[in-house]
Amino acid sequence: MEKNKELCLACRPETIDTTHDYDTWLQCDACSLWYHAKCLDIKKVDMVERFHCPNCVVTHGPTTMKPKQRKSNRSQDRLNYADLNEGTAAGDERIWKKLLSVKTFRQEKFKRYKAKEVTLDMIKKTGMKEPFLIEENEPELDMIMPSSDISVHTIAELVGKDTVLDVIDVASQSEINGWSLSRWADYFHSSERDRIRNVISLEISDTAFSEQIKRPKIVRELDWIDLMWPDNETEYPKVQLYCLMGTKDSYTDFHIDFGGSSVFYHILRGSKIFYFIEPTDKNLKKYQKWSSSSDQSTTFLGDLVKDCYSIEIKAGNTMIIPTGWIHAVYTPEDSIVIGGNFLHSINIKTQLKINQIENITEVPLKFRYPFYKKINWYALQKHDRWLTEGKASSIYELEGTIALAKFLREEITRENPTLTAEGHVNHSVKKANQIPDSIKDPIGLTEHAERLANETLNSMEKPKNIIRLVLNVNKKPTNSPPPELTKDDYEYEEEEEEEEEEEEEVELDDDDDEYQEDHDTSIEYNTNLSITHSNTPKKIRSKPKRPASTMDSSDEDEDSMGTSKSKTNNRSFHKRKRSLSANSNSSQPTMTAKQRILGMINKKL
């Protein structure tokens, strides 16, 4: 036993030989002298708020202790993962169910389609901007799925009992190693489960189980692996088919599927509740900050955004989740799901944006889309060929091709700026950027594809959306035929996306649909304009100018994605309707479309 030479004023002779019990000291807050906690018999040193030694107690009062924390019976939104991991808070294992039950979500707005309505032409026209649901596996969907009563034991037989699984402990949202598919089947069908666990990443391509599955036709028509990846490549991204198996009360926290890939999601058995957040620039910025924050595990992302939508999907439903949509998933009952990821040409710009977020947040390679750059090069090569051949492309595909060409060129010239002028890319640069051997001149390819896409885009006539104006005219009906209006008597208004800026704006009120339904008289100014009359009073409603949007004060010292202290102007985009004046140089105040038509009607009636 080592002899302690440092004694305090309270030490007694018999305590000269001490152990580590005498290593803890307390300093008097009054006289600043030091004492052994052991000598004063103070056991809970960390609970001492203010310490007074025996000599100072008379004048300054006794030592005080910190008050005990009050225990609340209210449901808590924050999780103690340390306790959950240690198994000391098993009662809170269903904390996600409790948390979700006290949250308020927006009523979902997503469309339901019949299988015959889900065509490639529809996708190219709409741009696949929002999730949508196909409620039944109708023949037109051209999808084949296993029987809904298939067991996990049967799945294990078809995929391989010794297949290693990534199992998720739901409470802590952490991975558990060492599970085989056979062990998972025993757990899934057990009536006594020690923990709530989830499997979300069992890829089943090239297995006997996959032979029972055929992805929806629309997915096969969009998927870059089907369209772009060469048949002679022995390796390919194995992301097309997954089997997800979740037990009751499973939960997967908010995430974006890797590489910005879209997802098809078919429920064989059970049900799921999705919580969706739209991938606006602002929401993606919040997601990036949240996913890289130390508070991620104790913060519910849905509380940080304006709108979080909830939708329940049931057995037999198929959902398509577009690029970039942030989502969490709750499992109210044991469920088996077949799904798959796919990159495509409709939302290339958002796919690249998600890839950028993954780079910034340093997502491990294990959780990234495999061969990501390579498949993007193959996609650009194919789009260049299609443009050269004159194959029709949608605006979304053309804009995506331009963005993709710029992205890939910047990737190989970022550290080698002279490559653009020289045009030659050596083998090491090609390998680092996953450039296929079939592409001999990568920079030339990007420039050629970008030029063709721009030329095609510029040659396309921009669609004009004709605005319907609903007015009430206080005129008695006459027997005379309605006056015919020429194109000079009315104006088109383009509906387009543009930067937020200070300018005059005319929009129909959100309530104008009521007027259309409730009143007899309608004026539609298109090439076949018709006017009818009624005795109802005239009503004109216009919308005031919308103020320019401002950033949250919390965003002032951050870049566009919230990762830098330097301020960046992150402007939002809105769909605007602008009146096109016949004489833009006139000094007179510009008349709105409504005012012009009213004046013209009053003259001619």
Side-chain angles (χ1 to χ4, degrees), residues 137-161:
N137 184 10
E138 299 168 313
E140 295 86 351
L141 194 57
D142 194 19
M143 178 179 72
I144 299 175
M145 286 289 155
S147 172
S148 60
D149 61 359
I150 190 170
S151 70
V152 179
H153 284 297
T154 301
I155 295 174
E157 290 282 352
L158 294 169
V159 177
K161 292 183 177 181

Side-chain angles (χ1 to χ4, degrees), residues 281 497-500 546 549 570-576:
D281 285 344
E497 287 188 355
E498 60 179 21
E499 285 194 0
E500 190 85 37
R546 180 186 301 168
S549 62
N570 184 20
R571 297 182 179 179
S572 58
F573 293 82
H574 298 280
K575 288 185 176 180
R576 293 172 177 253

Side-chain angles (χ1 to χ4, degrees), residues 405-436:
K406 291 179 178 178
F407 164 75
L408 292 175
R409 186 165 61 249
E410 289 171 0
E411 285 291 295
I412 59 179
T413 59
R414 182 184 297 114
E415 298 180 0
N416 303 277
T418 59
L419 287 177
T420 304
E422 298 172 356
H424 176 69
V425 178
N426 60 41
H427 178 73
S428 61
V429 174
K430 280 189 174 183
K431 186 176 181 180
N433 288 275
Q434 300 181 9
I435 302 174

Side-chain angles (χ1 to χ4, degrees), residues 539-597:
K539 291 188 179 182
I540 304 175
R541 303 178 63 180
S542 61
K543 194 165 185 177
K545 175 182 173 182
R546 180 186 301 168
S549 62
T550 57
M551 297 295 296
D552 293 343
S553 58
S554 60
D555 298 336
E556 290 180 355
D557 294 326
E558 297 153 356
D559 67 9
S560 61
M561 298 309 288
T563 55
S564 172
K565 292 185 178 179
S566 60
K567 184 175 179 180
T568 303
N569 188 14
N570 184 20
R571 297 182 179 179
S572 58
F573 293 82
H574 298 280
K575 288 185 176 180
R576 293 172 177 253
K577 300 184 182 76
R578 296 187 299 174
S579 294
L580 302 177
S581 173
N583 183 11
S584 60
N585 296 325
S586 172
S587 60
Q588 299 297 323
T590 303
M591 297 179 64
T592 67
K594 287 183 178 179
Q595 291 169 335
R596 286 171 56 82
I597 293 178

Side-chain angles (χ1 to χ4, degrees), residues 95-346:
I95 187 66
W96 294 108
K97 180 180 179 180
K98 297 178 183 178
L99 183 146
L100 294 169
S101 67
V102 299
K103 298 294 182 184
T104 302
F105 301 95
R106 289 290 299 271
Q107 180 65 36
E108 56 93 359
K109 56 178 182 176
F110 308 122
K111 291 184 178 180
R112 273 75 171 168
Y113 287 107
K114 295 290 186 182
K116 64 182 180 181
E117 298 175 309
V118 183
T119 64
L120 188 59
D121 186 56
M122 182 271 283
I123 295 295
K124 288 185 176 183
K125 287 180 178 178
T126 63
M128 203 163 79
K129 298 294 185 181
E130 294 185 346
F132 61 86
L133 197 65
I134 307 161
E135 295 184 319
E136 296 181 17
N137 184 10
E138 299 168 313
E140 295 86 351
L141 194 57
D142 194 19
M143 178 179 72
I144 299 175
M145 286 289 155
S147 172
S148 60
D149 61 359
I150 190 170
S151 70
V152 179
H153 284 297
T154 301
I155 295 174
E157 290 282 352
L158 294 169
V159 177
K161 292 183 177 181
D162 296 330
T163 302
V164 178
L165 286 180
D166 291 326
V167 177
I168 304 296
D169 179 81
V170 171
S172 62
Q173 293 290 287
S174 60
E175 286 190 1
I176 308 171
N177 298 321
W179 280 66
S180 66
L181 188 49
S182 176
R183 179 184 174 188
W184 171 258
D186 292 339
Y187 161 83
F188 190 92
H189 291 293
S190 173
S191 58
E192 297 181 0
R193 299 168 181 161
D194 56 334
R195 303 281 289 172
I196 300 175
R197 298 186 176 94
N198 198 11
V199 168
I200 61 174
S201 57
L202 175 61
E203 217 285 333
I204 56 175
S205 297
D206 301 329
T207 67
F209 188 33
S210 68
E211 296 175 1
Q212 301 183 15
I213 301 169
K214 184 180 181 181
R215 293 169 299 142
K217 178 183 178 182
I218 188 63
V219 174
R220 304 194 308 270
E221 291 177 330
L222 289 169
D223 192 350
W224 274 0
I225 297 177
D226 294 295
L227 298 179
M228 315 299 187
W229 200 265
D231 294 334
N232 58 359
E233 284 269 15
T234 55
E235 290 186 302
Y236 68 96
K238 290 190 176 183
V239 298
Q240 294 177 299
L241 279 179
Y242 286 95
C243 180
L244 298 83
M245 297 165 281
T247 56
K248 178 178 167 53
D249 292 327
S250 293
Y251 175 79
T252 304
D253 209 354
F254 286 100
H255 62 284
I256 300 175
D257 279 84
F258 46 36
S261 56
S262 299
V263 177
F264 87 89
Y265 199 93
H266 177 80
I267 298 188
L268 282 181
R269 185 165 73 244
S271 60
K272 297 278 185 176
I273 300 177
F274 276 79
Y275 304 95
F276 281 113
I277 298 173
E278 187 176 0
T280 62
D281 285 344
K282 190 170 185 177
N283 287 343
L284 287 175
K285 176 180 177 180
K286 290 180 181 294
Y287 170 79
Q288 180 176 315
K289 292 178 64 177
W290 171 82
S291 62
S292 57
S293 169
S294 58
D295 295 329
Q296 177 187 5
S297 60
T298 57
T299 304
F300 188 71
L301 181 62
D303 293 338
L304 306 181
V305 300
K306 180 180 178 182
D307 297 320
C308 183
Y309 301 94
S310 169
I311 177 174
E312 182 175 6
I313 59 176
K314 301 178 180 179
N317 293 169
T318 302
M319 171 164 275
I320 303 295
I321 305 173
T323 302
W325 275 77
I326 308 162
H327 56 282
V329 189
Y330 173 71
T331 307
E333 56 184 313
D334 288 1
S335 300
I336 299 178
V337 173
I338 301 296
N341 295 70
F342 58 100
L343 294 173
H344 56 88
S345 300
I346 307 299

Side-chain angles (χ1 to χ4, degrees), residues 322-439:
T323 302
W325 275 77
I326 308 162
H327 56 282
V329 189
Y330 173 71
T331 307
E333 56 184 313
D334 288 1
S335 300
I336 299 178
V337 173
I338 301 296
N341 295 70
F342 58 100
L343 294 173
H344 56 88
S345 300
I346 307 299
N347 292 329
I348 294 176
K349 291 192 288 186
T350 306
Q351 288 172 179
L352 298 176
K353 188 180 296 183
I354 303 307
N355 176 68
Q356 180 189 22
I357 292 176
E358 291 177 341
N359 290 337
I360 294 172
T361 56
E362 299 181 343
V363 174
L365 190 61
K366 176 182 178 180
F367 303 109
R368 305 288 292 269
Y369 190 100
F371 304 107
Y372 184 79
K373 287 185 180 179
K374 194 169 191 177
I375 198 169
N376 275 277
W377 277 107
Y378 278 133
L380 184 66
Q381 187 181 39
K382 183 63 70 72
H383 276 289
D384 181 71
R385 183 185 308 163
W386 288 342
L387 289 167
T388 302
E389 295 171 352
K391 182 178 178 179
S393 299
S394 68
I395 291 178
Y396 301 107
E397 291 170 300
L398 293 171
E399 291 177 342
T401 300
I402 295 168
L404 181 57
K406 291 179 178 178
F407 164 75
L408 292 175
R409 186 165 61 249
E410 289 171 0
E411 285 291 295
I412 59 179
T413 59
R414 182 184 297 114
E415 298 180 0
N416 303 277
T418 59
L419 287 177
T420 304
E422 298 172 356
H424 176 69
V425 178
N426 60 41
H427 178 73
S428 61
V429 174
K430 280 189 174 183
K431 186 176 181 180
N433 288 275
Q434 300 181 9
I435 302 174
D437 293 336
S438 59
I439 300 177

